[in-house]
Amino acid sequence: MARISEAARDLYRAEMAAAAVTEVAEQRWRHLERAHIVSQPDPWLHTQNHIAMFKFAVRQHDRREALGQVVRIIVAAPGSLSGRYPEGNTGRVAAGLMRTMPIPGDIASALRS
């Protein structure tokens, strides 16, 4: 099973904590997206991130995003376990399910350590 470093795990926790306390929807999504990028190699964290995204989409009454997150919840753990996930992908429906994206520098550093 793919694992992430303690530095990456700390960054994931920080992003999820920031997402939980922000009142601004765009900022919450940004924190969830950053946490998603970090979580992709870890099946449990990756799935937990998509569950958080699903819950937030439901609260926002965003049916398209919520439905897309259901699909992602189903494929997150198998994708992480097999190493078949699009690196840098933000995890949102608009990003596409398998589109690779650039990894922000601070996240790349945490993933390398």
Side-chain angles (χ1 to χ4, degrees), residues 7-8 17 23 31 50 54 59 71 88 92 95 102 106 109 111:
E23 299 288 328
H31 289 298
H50 281 296
F54 169 77
R59 272 185 292 221
V71 172
R92 299 282 305 278
D106 63 320
S109 294
L111 291 172

Side-chain angles (χ1 to χ4, degrees), residues 57-79:
V58 168
R59 272 185 292 221
Q60 289 194 301
H61 306 286
D62 186 339
R63 291 180 183 155
R64 181 173 179 264
E65 186 71 45
L67 181 60
Q69 292 305 321
V70 169
V71 172
R72 285 158 177 78
I73 289 166
I74 293 167
V75 301

Side-chain angles (χ1 to χ4, degrees), residues 6 19 24 29 36 38-40 52 55-56 58 67 82 87 93 97 111:
E6 199 56 41
V24 180
W29 278 119
H36 178 265
V38 175
S39 74
Q40 286 180 299
K55 288 178 180 178
F56 189 50
V58 168
L67 181 60
S82 68
E87 291 186 352
V93 170
L97 194 59
L111 291 172

Side-chain angles (χ1 to χ4, degrees), residues 94-106:
L97 194 59
M98 291 303 293
R99 181 175 158 218
T100 59
M101 302 170 89
I103 299 174
D106 63 320

Side-chain angles (χ1 to χ4, degrees), residues 11 30 38 42 61 68 89 94 101 108:
L11 180 57
R30 182 174 181 274
V38 175
D42 186 288
H61 306 286
N89 187 288
M101 302 170 89

